[in-house]
Amino acid sequence: MTESGRRDMISRRNLMLKAGAGILTASFAPALLQAQPAKAEAISDITPDGALKKLMEGNQRYIEQKRTFPDQARSRIVEVAEGQHPFATILACSDSRVAPEIIFDQGLGDLFDIRVAGNFLDDVVLGNMEYAAVELGVPLLVILGHERCGAVKAALDGKAVPGHISTLVAAIKPAVDTTKGVQGDAWDNAVRANVKINVNKLQSSSPILAEAVKAGKLKVVGGRYDLDSGKVEIIA
């Protein structure tokens, strides 16, 4: 092959490589653009009532199996990597059947989750709640119990339990005691009482949260999740 022929072949090869690179760039451009960091959302100005409405609308979608799976795209991952601005704090039981993001049809960065078997208050839980209210400006706090809670049943049975499980039972026992002799299902009565006792206890246990409630910056409610229907009922 002559020198001129080799130069022509190299030129054609370079041209083909450039064209291929252009095609690849065009193909990946949408994905690259989608992966660009979204501008971090400022602290939400959603009201406490607005936050509760948003939460309950999500639960209704879940019940009707019309979930929208919000805030779960790649762009949301990038966005919340810069900071979190949840609109609700949920104190829920550790029970595997009561996952807040699922039952309220929410996504990444939407809920500040605190989970402990029996959904009761202690100093660690209160510290988490205060952090969410003061540092993150979360306008809604929900204490969420659920139907047929195993921790409540253990307190109701009153039998000896091993290890640190006794700590859970002792924390829930006041709810059991207040419902003795009350008509209806003893187990569900205790579940509901446990939620209400902790809602009432919360403000007296934390001046920080009490002040936020008084200032209208925070709304505190208690709810019961029905394992059979998927419905969250506000009971306090």
Side-chain angles (χ1 to χ4, degrees):
M1 182 181 291
T2 65
E3 183 66 26
S4 176
R6 280 196 295 271
R7 284 198 300 270
D8 289 344
M9 182 178 290
I10 292 172
S11 296
R12 286 195 297 273
R13 185 182 300 152
N14 288 340
L15 183 61
M16 291 173 67
L17 288 172
K18 289 179 180 178
I23 292 171
L24 286 172
T25 300
S27 299
F28 285 109
L32 290 172
L33 288 172
Q34 186 178 8
Q36 292 301 309
K39 185 177 180 182
E41 183 183 353
I43 292 179
S44 176
D45 59 356
I46 187 171
T47 66
D49 286 337
L52 181 58
K53 182 174 183 290
K54 181 176 181 178
L55 200 66
M56 298 308 291
E57 286 175 346
N59 179 241
Q60 190 61 37
R61 292 195 301 272
Y62 170 71
I63 295 168
E64 297 175 357
Q65 290 297 289
K66 295 179 180 179
R67 289 172 288 173
T68 60
F69 304 99
D71 297 330
Q72 296 178 38
R74 172 62 192 171
S75 58
R76 181 62 171 181
I77 296 175
V78 175
E79 179 184 358
V80 296
E82 298 182 8
Q84 61 169 322
H85 307 293
F87 71 88
T89 296
I90 313 292
L91 169 59
C93 182
S94 302
D95 194 296
S96 62
R97 301 166 292 180
V98 191
E101 277 77 9
I102 294 178
I103 67 175
F104 288 114
D105 190 28
Q106 301 301 324
L108 290 172
D110 292 330
L111 306 178
F112 189 84
D113 294 331
I114 309 167
R115 301 190 67 179
V116 59
N119 44 270
F120 62 85
L121 298 179
D122 63 12
D123 288 344
V124 174
V125 169
L126 284 170
N128 277 268
M129 291 175 169
E130 290 173 348
Y131 173 80
V134 175
E135 298 297 326
L136 303 179
V138 180
L140 176 67
L141 196 165
V142 180
I143 297 179
L144 183 64
H146 69 92
E147 181 186 26
R148 297 194 294 273
C149 177
V152 172
K153 184 64 163 60
L156 188 65
D157 290 344
K159 298 177 182 178
V161 292
H164 291 83
I165 300 175
S166 59
T167 303
L168 306 177
V169 172
I172 301 168
K173 190 174 182 301
V176 171
D177 291 341
T178 62
T179 57
K180 286 181 178 178
V182 176
Q183 290 186 344
D185 184 280
W187 192 355
D188 201 53
N189 287 343
V191 164
R192 291 171 179 271
N194 186 48
V195 169
K196 294 175 182 179
I197 284 174
N198 283 289
V199 168
N200 293 332
K201 180 181 175 183
L202 190 145
Q203 292 194 52
S204 61
S205 301
S206 173
I208 291 176
L209 297 176
E211 181 59 33
V213 171
K214 183 178 179 181
K217 297 179 180 179
L218 178 68
K219 187 182 187 72
V220 178
V221 300
R224 173 193 175 276
Y225 175 68
D226 191 290
L227 292 175
D228 299 308
S229 69
K231 181 178 178 58
V232 172
E233 174 191 2
I234 301 302
I235 61 174

PDB file of all heavy atoms in Angstrom, residues 9 20 24 38 66 85 90 98 106 109 121 130 132 134 143 151 154 159 166 179 228 233:
ATOM      1  N   MET A   9      -6.581   5.827   4.550  1.00  0.00           N
ATOM      2  CA  MET A   9      -7.214   4.844   5.430  1.00  0.00           C
ATOM      3  C   MET A   9      -7.290   5.362   6.861  1.00  0.00           C
ATOM      4  O   MET A   9      -8.298   5.209   7.545  1.00  0.00           O
ATOM      5  CB  MET A   9      -6.421   3.527   5.396  1.00  0.00           C
ATOM      6  CG  MET A   9      -7.032   2.405   6.249  1.00  0.00           C
ATOM      7  SD  MET A   9      -6.091   0.870   6.106  1.00  0.00           S
ATOM      8  CE  MET A   9      -6.496   0.436   4.400  1.00  0.00           C
ATOM      9  N   GLY A  20     -18.736   7.586  15.584  1.00  0.00           N
ATOM     10  CA  GLY A  20     -19.200   6.660  16.617  1.00  0.00           C
ATOM     11  C   GLY A  20     -19.299   7.325  17.966  1.00  0.00           C
ATOM     12  O   GLY A  20     -20.245   7.115  18.729  1.00  0.00           O
ATOM     13  N   LEU A  24     -22.616   7.743  20.422  1.00  0.00           N
ATOM     14  CA  LEU A  24     -22.649   7.331  21.824  1.00  0.00           C
ATOM     15  C   LEU A  24     -23.040   8.483  22.723  1.00  0.00           C
ATOM     16  O   LEU A  24     -23.831   8.341  23.655  1.00  0.00           O
ATOM     17  CB  LEU A  24     -21.280   6.785  22.245  1.00  0.00           C
ATOM     18  CG  LEU A  24     -20.935   5.395  21.702  1.00  0.00           C
ATOM     19  CD1 LEU A  24     -19.485   5.064  22.026  1.00  0.00           C
ATOM     20  CD2 LEU A  24     -21.858   4.355  22.292  1.00  0.00           C
ATOM     21  N   ALA A  38     -30.040  17.741  41.090  1.00  0.00           N
ATOM     22  CA  ALA A  38     -31.148  18.689  41.117  1.00  0.00           C
ATOM     23  C   ALA A  38     -30.875  19.715  42.207  1.00  0.00           C
ATOM     24  O   ALA A  38     -30.188  19.432  43.185  1.00  0.00           O
ATOM     25  CB  ALA A  38     -32.454  17.959  41.400  1.00  0.00           C
ATOM     26  N   LYS A  66     -53.303   2.396  44.247  1.00  0.00           N
ATOM     27  CA  LYS A  66     -53.058   3.396  43.205  1.00  0.00           C
ATOM     28  C   LYS A  66     -51.797   4.198  43.547  1.00  0.00           C
ATOM     29  O   LYS A  66     -51.727   5.395  43.343  1.00  0.00           O
ATOM     30  CB  LYS A  66     -54.264   4.333  43.084  1.00  0.00           C
ATOM     31  CG  LYS A  66     -55.534   3.639  42.611  1.00  0.00           C
ATOM     32  CD  LYS A  66     -56.692   4.620  42.528  1.00  0.00           C
ATOM     33  CE  LYS A  66     -57.964   3.921  42.042  1.00  0.00           C
ATOM     34  NZ  LYS A  66     -59.120   4.872  41.984  1.00  0.00           N
ATOM     35  N   HIS A  85     -35.231  17.196  53.837  1.00  0.00           N
ATOM     36  CA  HIS A  85     -36.308  18.089  54.275  1.00  0.00           C
ATOM     37  C   HIS A  85     -37.611  17.297  54.375  1.00  0.00           C
ATOM     38  O   HIS A  85     -38.571  17.545  53.651  1.00  0.00           O
ATOM     39  CB  HIS A  85     -36.460  19.261  53.302  1.00  0.00           C
ATOM     40  CG  HIS A  85     -35.186  20.001  53.054  1.00  0.00           C
ATOM     41  ND1 HIS A  85     -34.553  20.735  54.036  1.00  0.00           N
ATOM     42  CD2 HIS A  85     -34.403  20.081  51.951  1.00  0.00           C
ATOM     43  CE1 HIS A  85     -33.447  21.255  53.543  1.00  0.00           C
ATOM     44  NE2 HIS A  85     -33.330  20.875  52.288  1.00  0.00           N
ATOM     45  N   ILE A  90     -42.385  10.042  61.808  1.00  0.00           N
ATOM     46  CA  ILE A  90     -43.249   8.921  62.145  1.00  0.00           C
ATOM     47  C   ILE A  90     -42.573   8.056  63.204  1.00  0.00           C
ATOM     48  O   ILE A  90     -41.508   7.478  62.950  1.00  0.00           O
ATOM     49  CB  ILE A  90     -43.551   8.026  60.925  1.00  0.00           C
ATOM     50  CG1 ILE A  90     -43.958   8.852  59.694  1.00  0.00           C
ATOM     51  CG2 ILE A  90     -44.613   6.992  61.270  1.00  0.00           C
ATOM     52  CD1 ILE A  90     -45.277   9.543  59.814  1.00  0.00           C
ATOM     53  N   VAL A  98     -45.229  -2.847  58.965  1.00  0.00           N
ATOM     54  CA  VAL A  98     -45.647  -1.446  59.109  1.00  0.00           C
ATOM     55  C   VAL A  98     -44.508  -0.529  58.659  1.00  0.00           C
ATOM     56  O   VAL A  98     -43.871   0.155  59.465  1.00  0.00           O
ATOM     57  CB  VAL A  98     -46.033  -1.131  60.573  1.00  0.00           C
ATOM     58  CG1 VAL A  98     -46.718   0.232  60.663  1.00  0.00           C
ATOM     59  CG2 VAL A  98     -46.960  -2.199  61.134  1.00  0.00           C
ATOM     60  N   GLN A 106     -44.844   7.172  50.112  1.00  0.00           N
ATOM     61  CA  GLN A 106     -43.877   8.264  50.070  1.00  0.00           C
ATOM     62  C   GLN A 106     -42.529   7.728  49.605  1.00  0.00           C
ATOM     63  O   GLN A 106     -42.377   6.530  49.357  1.00  0.00           O
ATOM     64  CB  GLN A 106     -43.765   8.928  51.441  1.00  0.00           C
ATOM     65  CG  GLN A 106     -45.068   9.499  51.981  1.00  0.00           C
ATOM     66  CD  GLN A 106     -45.693  10.552  51.074  1.00  0.00           C
ATOM     67  OE1 GLN A 106     -44.984  11.353  50.439  1.00  0.00           O
ATOM     68  NE2 GLN A 106     -47.015  10.574  51.002  1.00  0.00           N
ATOM     69  N   GLY A 109     -36.431  10.770  51.535  1.00  0.00           N
ATOM     70  CA  GLY A 109     -36.387  12.112  52.100  1.00  0.00           C
ATOM     71  C   GLY A 109     -37.717  12.689  52.510  1.00  0.00           C
ATOM     72  O   GLY A 109     -37.788  13.824  52.966  1.00  0.00           O
ATOM     73  N   LEU A 121     -42.377   6.128  73.901  1.00  0.00           N
ATOM     74  CA  LEU A 121     -41.390   7.183  74.099  1.00  0.00           C
ATOM     75  C   LEU A 121     -40.337   6.793  75.126  1.00  0.00           C
ATOM     76  O   LEU A 121     -40.635   6.162  76.134  1.00  0.00           O
ATOM     77  CB  LEU A 121     -42.073   8.464  74.592  1.00  0.00           C
ATOM     78  CG  LEU A 121     -43.106   9.119  73.681  1.00  0.00           C
ATOM     79  CD1 LEU A 121     -43.671  10.359  74.365  1.00  0.00           C
ATOM     80  CD2 LEU A 121     -42.500   9.489  72.340  1.00  0.00           C
ATOM     81  N   GLU A 130     -37.029  15.710  68.686  1.00  0.00           N
ATOM     82  CA  GLU A 130     -36.592  17.098  68.859  1.00  0.00           C
ATOM     83  C   GLU A 130     -35.651  17.511  67.728  1.00  0.00           C
ATOM     84  O   GLU A 130     -35.732  18.641  67.225  1.00  0.00           O
ATOM     85  CB  GLU A 130     -35.916  17.269  70.211  1.00  0.00           C
ATOM     86  CG  GLU A 130     -36.896  17.159  71.374  1.00  0.00           C
ATOM     87  CD  GLU A 130     -36.220  17.161  72.734  1.00  0.00           C
ATOM     88  OE1 GLU A 130     -34.975  17.010  72.792  1.00  0.00           O
ATOM     89  OE2 GLU A 130     -36.930  17.312  73.749  1.00  0.00           O
ATOM     90  N   ALA A 132     -35.683  16.352  64.673  1.00  0.00           N
ATOM     91  CA  ALA A 132     -36.497  16.522  63.470  1.00  0.00           C
ATOM     92  C   ALA A 132     -37.237  17.861  63.488  1.00  0.00           C
ATOM     93  O   ALA A 132     -37.311  18.561  62.477  1.00  0.00           O
ATOM     94  CB  ALA A 132     -37.485  15.376  63.338  1.00  0.00           C
ATOM     95  N   VAL A 134     -36.571  20.665  65.461  1.00  0.00           N
ATOM     96  CA  VAL A 134     -35.727  21.865  65.586  1.00  0.00           C
ATOM     97  C   VAL A 134     -34.755  22.032  64.424  1.00  0.00           C
ATOM     98  O   VAL A 134     -34.646  23.103  63.833  1.00  0.00           O
ATOM     99  CB  VAL A 134     -34.943  21.826  66.921  1.00  0.00           C
ATOM    100  CG1 VAL A 134     -33.979  23.001  67.003  1.00  0.00           C
ATOM    101  CG2 VAL A 134     -35.898  21.845  68.100  1.00  0.00           C
ATOM    102  N   ILE A 143     -47.464   9.428  66.004  1.00  0.00           N
ATOM    103  CA  ILE A 143     -47.169   8.224  66.775  1.00  0.00           C
ATOM    104  C   ILE A 143     -48.111   7.150  66.253  1.00  0.00           C
ATOM    105  O   ILE A 143     -49.327   7.263  66.378  1.00  0.00           O
ATOM    106  CB  ILE A 143     -47.351   8.445  68.280  1.00  0.00           C
ATOM    107  CG1 ILE A 143     -46.351   9.504  68.775  1.00  0.00           C
ATOM    108  CG2 ILE A 143     -47.159   7.140  69.040  1.00  0.00           C
ATOM    109  CD1 ILE A 143     -46.450   9.818  70.252  1.00  0.00           C
ATOM    110  N   ALA A 151     -45.601  -6.546  70.629  1.00  0.00           N
ATOM    111  CA  ALA A 151     -45.054  -5.982  71.864  1.00  0.00           C
ATOM    112  C   ALA A 151     -46.176  -5.686  72.860  1.00  0.00           C
ATOM    113  O   ALA A 151     -46.036  -5.918  74.069  1.00  0.00           O
ATOM    114  CB  ALA A 151     -44.270  -4.708  71.552  1.00  0.00           C
ATOM    115  N   ALA A 154     -47.375  -8.950  74.387  1.00  0.00           N
ATOM    116  CA  ALA A 154     -46.489  -9.447  75.435  1.00  0.00           C
ATOM    117  C   ALA A 154     -46.780  -8.746  76.758  1.00  0.00           C
ATOM    118  O   ALA A 154     -46.794  -9.376  77.821  1.00  0.00           O
ATOM    119  CB  ALA A 154     -45.035  -9.222  75.025  1.00  0.00           C
ATOM    120  N   LYS A 159     -46.489 -12.352  80.934  1.00  0.00           N
ATOM    121  CA  LYS A 159     -45.588 -13.474  81.199  1.00  0.00           C
ATOM    122  C   LYS A 159     -44.130 -12.996  81.216  1.00  0.00           C
ATOM    123  O   LYS A 159     -43.798 -11.957  80.650  1.00  0.00           O
ATOM    124  CB  LYS A 159     -45.772 -14.550  80.134  1.00  0.00           C
ATOM    125  CG  LYS A 159     -47.165 -15.155  80.095  1.00  0.00           C
ATOM    126  CD  LYS A 159     -47.289 -16.171  78.974  1.00  0.00           C
ATOM    127  CE  LYS A 159     -48.695 -16.750  78.906  1.00  0.00           C
ATOM    128  NZ  LYS A 159     -48.846 -17.715  77.777  1.00  0.00           N
ATOM    129  N   SER A 166     -37.912  -7.357  78.203  1.00  0.00           N
ATOM    130  CA  SER A 166     -38.650  -6.889  79.378  1.00  0.00           C
ATOM    131  C   SER A 166     -38.744  -5.368  79.422  1.00  0.00           C
ATOM    132  O   SER A 166     -39.699  -4.807  79.967  1.00  0.00           O
ATOM    133  CB  SER A 166     -37.985  -7.395  80.657  1.00  0.00           C
ATOM    134  OG  SER A 166     -36.639  -6.943  80.746  1.00  0.00           O
ATOM    135  N   THR A 179     -56.570  -0.103  80.520  1.00  0.00           N
ATOM    136  CA  THR A 179     -57.682  -0.685  79.758  1.00  0.00           C
ATOM    137  C   THR A 179     -58.296  -1.914  80.426  1.00  0.00           C
ATOM    138  O   THR A 179     -59.204  -2.534  79.870  1.00  0.00           O
ATOM    139  CB  THR A 179     -57.207  -1.090  78.339  1.00  0.00           C
ATOM    140  OG1 THR A 179     -56.110  -2.005  78.452  1.00  0.00           O
ATOM    141  CG2 THR A 179     -56.779   0.131  77.555  1.00  0.00           C
ATOM    142  N   ASP A 228     -55.145  -5.582  58.259  1.00  0.00           N
ATOM    143  CA  ASP A 228     -56.007  -6.255  57.293  1.00  0.00           C
ATOM    144  C   ASP A 228     -56.396  -5.359  56.120  1.00  0.00           C
ATOM    145  O   ASP A 228     -56.421  -5.808  54.966  1.00  0.00           O
ATOM    146  CB  ASP A 228     -57.275  -6.759  57.983  1.00  0.00           C
ATOM    147  CG  ASP A 228     -56.957  -7.758  59.085  1.00  0.00           C
ATOM    148  OD1 ASP A 228     -56.226  -8.730  58.810  1.00  0.00           O
ATOM    149  OD2 ASP A 228     -57.412  -7.555  60.234  1.00  0.00           O
ATOM    150  N   GLU A 233     -55.886   5.024  60.748  1.00  0.00           N
ATOM    151  CA  GLU A 233     -56.966   5.785  61.385  1.00  0.00           C
ATOM    152  C   GLU A 233     -56.345   6.736  62.415  1.00  0.00           C
ATOM    153  O   GLU A 233     -55.533   6.309  63.252  1.00  0.00           O
ATOM    154  CB  GLU A 233     -57.924   4.824  62.085  1.00  0.00           C
ATOM    155  CG  GLU A 233     -59.010   5.476  62.911  1.00  0.00           C
ATOM    156  CD  GLU A 233     -59.764   4.476  63.786  1.00  0.00           C
ATOM    157  OE1 GLU A 233     -59.417   3.268  63.778  1.00  0.00           O
ATOM    158  OE2 GLU A 233     -60.691   4.903  64.492  1.00  0.00           O
TER     159      GLU A 233
END
